[in-house]
């Protein structure tokens, strides 16, 4: 199983598009990370409000449920770009050159097919709760403090659309790799073997240890 | 074609996609949505005119899943636990723990190795990630063990095995995922992991002491720490104790009376304490931003598998595959205990090739109902059940067993990830060295799993109190 991997870049249009999209994906992922942070802050406010002020945070659970789609969807393209969605690479890890890029192209096209259908399906789900004529444009609302739910539902098709863009770039990248028979193509995650990957993981973690100068 | 046949064909197709290297989350989602299209279309007699209708209904059915399934309070524990893990590095907890464990336990035979195991167990209390735990301790503990003459293979094995303790001792993200998929109480599962996790650490410790007593020049004792030094080592490690105690008290109050809140709150308060500690140790926005991005990446990876698998599960429901599998399992004439052991062994094999989270999510929708049926159904009382425990208790017991199996796979060849990580950190060690060094722990884990199967009360005592 593999998680992290490497993406190379050069001066081609494809690579520049990759870099631009990556900036957007990073912002989206950071929003997701900040949402996790806000979960922590919400709980501290809620617990201390209940115990010290005798006043629980109104709609605590509603806010958590609103934050969850941010956390669950916003980073999806960022993770795909870096090859962070897990998979079994025991077979593709043994392939090289054009055979490898063809295999990657097929599975990437399969993901693209799924995500186009999911953008459609999640958009339909959003539309059912959105209505310009309704108060707060909302046909449904959360249990406790009646927050409109459509913004949270909208996050899924938005994040999935960015993933569709990312997949289109990766399809382009793999096609180019097949055409040029590149050993190390740009803009697509390269497979790192278990040892390299482990070393990367270890470096990341020990980087943290050294960062704080302990 | 009958729905059940469609279920089998599509599940076979899913397996092919996964083996071909398609990302697990998307492979499951695609299998689910294609299965839905197929089943709806088959209902209309495969009329070409109805194909468009089938796609529309399938896309809309699948489209409800991501938002409706992830907007849950219980699932918010997963990103919170992941965040605790990343913040813990900045809080300097790893070195503090190893130092404390060394001063308190290094005087026993094989002392440094025992200390390493206890330090990894302690670190497991703030980190749900086995692989990262091994990577960190490979840098801290192995050099110290080598300095006083440990065999390098054994020193590496200790660290690789110690890392596996992370997923049972709370906070454990994988137990939360299990609880969500099988729709059981998250708090009880988290509590249930505590004793088996600590028990595994004790078995490791006992094993090291026995080895040290029987093999000459194995691992010398380290003595000479004064009581003052011992107590001085405790405060830097205290946030760990705080996190564990908070999570436990927010689930279950051992002094009687109500729990202090929900597990969600407990996890978040724990994260906040570690966050304050990290701030105190010099973490600033650039490091926090890194931690948040890493948290986002790991969280979205897990949530994508969750919704992908749940799209597949929705299709499985239409195909009634879990029901058919349960019927088949309960119709077998083998003893139920033997069947359970076979299921666990199948996980051991599968785990050699697949990541734990992916493996559990892909298989549980079919395997879990079968195990429950084997015990006599989801709502069976302890008296009427096969394994002598009520339905919910059986769910907890099985959960701990499969998670322990998944951990076990982190140290088994051919791709025990923890061993690769340790070898990756240390230039002087090959993967084969680490696999050799980890072998005794491999056996110890076998013993632990056998004991957990034979004496379920080790798992069920603590959650039974709630």
């Amino acid at each position: 199983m593999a998680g992290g991997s490497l993406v190379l870049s050069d001066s081609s249009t494809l690579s520049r598009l990759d870099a631009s999209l990556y900036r957007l994906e990073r912002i989206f992922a950071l929003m997701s990370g900040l949402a996790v942070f806000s979960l922590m802050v919400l709980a501290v406010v809620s617990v201390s409000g209940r115990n010290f002020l005798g006043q629980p945070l109104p709609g605590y659970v509603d806010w958590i449920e609103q934050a969850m789609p941010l956390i669950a969807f916003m980073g999806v393209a960022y993770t795909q770009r870096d090859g962070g969605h897990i998979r079994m690479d025991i077979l593709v890890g043994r392939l090289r050159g054009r055979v490898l890029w063809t295999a990657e192209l097929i599975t990437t096209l399969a993901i693209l097919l799924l995500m186009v259908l999911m953008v459609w399906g999640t958009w339909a789900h959003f539309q059912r709760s959105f209505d310009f004529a309704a108060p707060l444009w909302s046909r449904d609302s959360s249990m406790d403090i009646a927050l409109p739910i459509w913004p949270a539902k909208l996050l899924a098709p938005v994040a999935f659309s960015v993933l569709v863009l990312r997949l289109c770039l990766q399809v382009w990248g793999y096609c180019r790799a097949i055409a040029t028979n590149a050993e190390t193509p740009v803009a697509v995650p390269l497979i790192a073997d278990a040892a390299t990957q482990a070393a990367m993981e270890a470096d990341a973690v020990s980087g943290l240890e050294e960062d704080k100068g302990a | 074609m009958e729905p059940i046949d469609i279920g089998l064909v599509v599940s076979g197709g899913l397996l092919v996609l996964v083996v071909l290297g398609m990302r697990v989350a998307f492979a499951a989602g695609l299998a689910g949505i294609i299965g839905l299209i197929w089943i709806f279309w088959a209902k209309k007699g495969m009329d070409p005119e109805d194909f468009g209708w089938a796609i529309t209904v399938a896309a809309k059915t699948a489209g409800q899943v991501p938002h409706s399934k992830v907007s849950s309070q219980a699932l918010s524990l997963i990103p919170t636990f992941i965040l605790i893990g990343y913040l813990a590095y900045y809080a300097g907890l790893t070195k503090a723990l190893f130092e404390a464990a060394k001063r308190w336990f290094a005087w026993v035979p094989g002392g440094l190795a025992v200390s390493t195991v206890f330090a990894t167990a302690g670190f497991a209390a703030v980190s749900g990630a086995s692989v990262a735990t091994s990577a960190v301790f490979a840098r801290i503990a192995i050099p110290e063990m080598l300095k006083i003459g440990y065999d390098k293979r054994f020193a590496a094995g200790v660290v690789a095995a110690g890392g596996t303790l992370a997923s049972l001792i709370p906070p454990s993200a994988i137990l939360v995922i299990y609880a969500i998929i099988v729709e059981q109480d998250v708090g009880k599962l988290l509590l249930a992991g505590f004793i088996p996790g600590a028990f595994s650490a004790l078995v490791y410790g006992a094993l090291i002491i026995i080895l040290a007593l029987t093999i000459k020049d194995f691992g010398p004792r380290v003595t000479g720490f004064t009581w003052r030094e011992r107590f001085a080592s405790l405060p830097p490690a205290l946030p760990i104790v705080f996190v564990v105690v908070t999570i436990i008290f927010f689930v279950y109050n051992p002094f009687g009376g109500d729990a202090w809140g929900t597990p969600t709150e407990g996890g978040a308060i724990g994260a906040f304490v570690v966050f304050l500690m990290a701030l105190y140790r010099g973490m600033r926005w650039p490091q926090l931003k890194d931690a948040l991005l890493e948290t986002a990446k790991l969280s979205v990876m897990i949530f994508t598998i969750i919704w992908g698998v749940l799209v597949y599960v929705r299709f499985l429901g239409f195909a009634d595959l879990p029901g058919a599998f349960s019927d088949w399992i309960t119709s077998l004439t083998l003893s139920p205990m033997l069947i359970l052991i076979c299921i666990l062994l199948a996980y051991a094999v599968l785990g050699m090739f697949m990541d734990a989270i992916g493996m559990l999510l892909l298989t549980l929708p079919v395997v879990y109902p079968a195990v429950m049926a084997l015990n006599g159904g989801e709502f069976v009382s302890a008296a009427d059940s096969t394994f002598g425990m009520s339905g919910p208790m059986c769910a907890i017991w099985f959960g701990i067993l499969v998670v322990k199996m998944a951990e076990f796979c982190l140290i088994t060849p051919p791709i025990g990830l923890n061993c690769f990580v340790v070898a990756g950190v240390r230039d002087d060690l090959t993967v084969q060295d680490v696999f050799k060094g980890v072998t005794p722990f491999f056996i110890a884990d076998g013993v632990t799993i056998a004991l957990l199967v034979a004496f379920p009360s080790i798992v069920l005592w603590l959650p039974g109190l709630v």
Side-chain angles (χ1 to χ4, degrees):
Chain A
M1 272 311 199
S5 46
L6 329 139
V7 181
L8 302 178
S9 60
D10 63 11
S11 59
S12 62
T13 317
L14 173 62
S15 192
R16 282 207 303 276
L17 284 175
D18 165 58
S20 321
L21 188 59
Y22 192 47
R23 274 196 288 277
L24 176 70
E25 288 165 341
R26 240 179 108 84
I27 293 170
F28 271 35
L30 193 58
M31 285 165 72
S32 156
L34 287 170
V36 181
F37 193 77
S38 69
L39 282 184
M40 185 180 89
V41 176
L42 271 177
V44 174
V45 172
S46 167
V47 171
S48 46
R50 195 175 61 217
N51 291 332
F52 303 123
L53 307 174
Q55 168 101 48
L57 180 69
Y60 172 52
V61 174
D62 290 19
W63 284 112
I64 294 180
E65 289 177 358
Q66 296 282 314
M68 286 309 290
L70 266 176
I71 298 167
F73 306 136
M74 294 309 271
V76 70
Y78 176 75
T79 309
Q80 173 69 14
R81 193 272 187 182
D82 285 345
H85 291 289
I86 51 164
R87 65 162 168 182
M88 219 168 130
D89 54 10
I90 201 157
L91 190 69
V92 283
R94 288 168 196 276
L95 305 178
R96 289 283 171 275
R98 284 201 167 109
V99 187
L100 171 62
W101 310 131
T102 310
E104 297 276 31
L105 179 64
I106 292 168
T107 51
T108 308
L109 281 171
I111 303 177
L112 184 58
L113 170 69
L114 167 71
M115 291 322 295
V116 169
L117 289 171
M118 289 307 292
V119 168
W120 176 16
T122 51
W123 176 256
H125 190 55
F126 154 72
Q127 270 192 324
R128 279 193 294 275
S129 76
F130 184 80
D131 184 356
F132 269 121
L136 292 171
W137 298 344
S138 184
R139 288 208 190 113
D140 48 11
S141 59
S142 62
M143 295 285 284
D144 189 8
I145 55 167
L147 298 169
I149 296 181
W150 64 263
K153 287 186 177 169
L154 182 60
L155 293 175
V158 168
F160 291 173
S161 302
V162 177
L163 177 58
V164 166
L165 288 180
R166 166 56 59 194
L167 291 165
C168 291
L169 280 187
Q170 289 186 339
V171 166
W172 180 0
Y174 287 127
C175 286
R176 209 173 91 141
I178 294 170
T180 59
N181 198 11
E183 199 54 43
T184 50
V186 295
V188 293
L190 303 177
I191 301 175
D193 61 30
T196 318
Q197 218 184 313
M200 274 162 59
E201 175 119 18
D203 276 348
V205 174
S206 54
L208 302 180
E209 284 282 311
E210 279 144 27
D211 272 354
K212 64 175 180 50
Chain B
M1 237 180 177
E2 292 297 307
I4 183 84
D5 299 319
I6 299 177
L8 285 172
V9 172
V10 170
S11 300
L14 169 58
L15 200 67
V16 172
L17 289 177
V18 169
V19 172
L20 282 179
M22 187 164 168
R23 314 270 163 191
V24 172
F26 302 121
L30 186 66
I33 211 163
I34 287 178
L36 284 171
I37 295 172
W38 193 350
I39 277 203
F40 293 147
W41 198 33
K43 270 192 189 150
K44 295 268 180 178
M46 299 283 214
D47 187 342
E49 277 186 17
D50 288 321
F51 187 61
W53 170 85
I55 293 185
T56 313
V57 178
K60 288 188 174 175
T61 308
Q64 294 170 8
V65 172
H67 176 268
S68 61
K69 292 297 178 181
V70 305
S71 303
S72 114
Q73 190 193 180
L75 276 179
S76 73
L77 272 171
I78 294 172
T80 312
F81 285 174
I82 293 171
L83 181 65
I84 295 181
Y86 281 108
L87 292 176
Y89 298 115
Y90 295 106
L93 291 174
T94 45
K95 278 190 183 151
L97 262 173
F98 183 63
E99 201 50 44
K102 192 170 81 182
R103 292 184 192 184
W104 285 85
F105 301 111
W107 56 271
V108 301
L112 265 189
V114 175
S115 308
T116 305
V117 165
F118 288 153
T120 50
F123 190 66
V126 284
S127 163
S130 305
V131 177
T133 308
S134 285
V136 173
F137 281 93
R139 296 207 181 227
I140 305 176
I142 293 180
E144 297 225 15
M145 282 190 269
L146 294 188
K147 222 183 290 170
I148 62 164
Y150 276 80
D151 181 88
K152 68 175 180 182
R153 285 171 300 191
F154 182 74
V158 171
V159 172
T164 68
L165 297 171
S167 67
L168 282 177
I169 296 177
S172 158
I174 196 163
L175 279 174
V176 177
I177 295 171
Y178 174 85
I180 303 290
I181 289 292
V182 307
E183 298 179 335
Q184 291 294 328
D185 187 294
V186 174
K188 282 190 181 176
L189 264 155
L190 288 176
L191 273 188
F194 186 72
I195 291 181
F199 183 72
S200 300
L202 288 177
V203 171
Y204 283 176
L207 172 83
I208 294 167
I209 294 176
I210 292 169
L211 288 175
L213 287 175
T214 49
I215 303 172
K216 198 167 169 288
D217 296 332
F218 174 82
R221 301 157 184 252
V222 181
T223 48
F225 291 111
T226 64
W227 284 100
R228 179 193 287 271
E229 282 172 326
R230 284 185 181 156
F231 282 105
S233 70
L234 291 181
L238 270 185
I240 305 253
V241 181
F242 184 88
V243 170
V244 181
V245 170
T246 310
I247 290 174
I248 289 182
F249 272 68
F250 271 80
V251 177
Y252 158 69
N253 189 341
F255 303 121
D258 292 336
W260 294 358
T262 61
T264 316
E265 289 169 338
I269 301 284
F272 188 65
V273 172
V274 180
F275 170 68
L276 292 182
M277 180 86 185
L279 275 186
Y280 170 73
R281 296 292 299 252
M283 180 184 72
R284 293 296 173 262
W285 172 242
Q287 294 88 4
L288 177 62
K289 192 170 136 188
D290 280 349
L292 291 180
L293 276 174
E294 288 303 315
T295 304
K297 203 162 156 180
L298 201 52
S299 305
V300 79
M301 186 275 272
I302 292 173
F303 281 113
T304 310
I305 306 188
I306 289 178
W307 69 250
V309 165
L310 288 173
V311 169
Y312 172 65
V313 166
R314 185 152 293 198
F315 153 70
L316 282 184
F318 279 101
D320 196 32
L321 200 61
F325 185 68
S326 295
D327 290 346
W328 176 70
I329 285 277
T330 44
S331 73
L332 294 175
T333 48
L334 298 169
S335 101
M337 188 52 98
L338 193 64
I339 297 175
L340 182 77
I341 291 170
C342 288
I343 291 175
L344 291 177
L345 288 178
Y347 273 114
V349 175
L350 201 55
M352 288 177 188
F353 304 99
M354 264 184 101
D355 167 270
I357 292 172
M359 170 176 92
L360 290 187
L361 278 165
L362 275 182
T363 56
L364 282 175
V366 177
V367 173
Y368 171 77
V371 170
M372 294 312 276
L374 213 52
N375 188 43
E378 214 164 321
F379 304 105
V380 72
S381 69
D384 299 333
S385 67
T386 314
F387 297 126
M389 60 189 86
S390 66
M393 282 297 169
C394 181
I396 293 174
W397 181 54
F398 182 64
I400 299 297
L401 289 177
V402 287
V403 168
K404 182 74 194 166
M405 284 318 285
E407 284 303 290
F408 182 55
C409 298
L410 285 174
I411 54 170
T412 55
I415 52 167
L417 207 52
N418 274 14
C419 298
F420 276 95
V421 167
V422 174
V425 174
R426 303 281 314 179
D427 294 335
D428 53 340
L429 284 162
T430 65
V431 180
Q432 284 73 21
D433 287 338
V434 187
F435 277 127
K436 209 167 268 174
V438 91
T439 312
F441 297 96
F442 189 79
I443 297 164
D445 267 348
V447 173
T448 306
I449 292 167
L451 287 173
L452 296 181
V453 171
F455 305 104
S457 53
I458 303 173
V459 177
L460 299 177
W461 176 73
L462 195 53
L465 293 178
V466 180

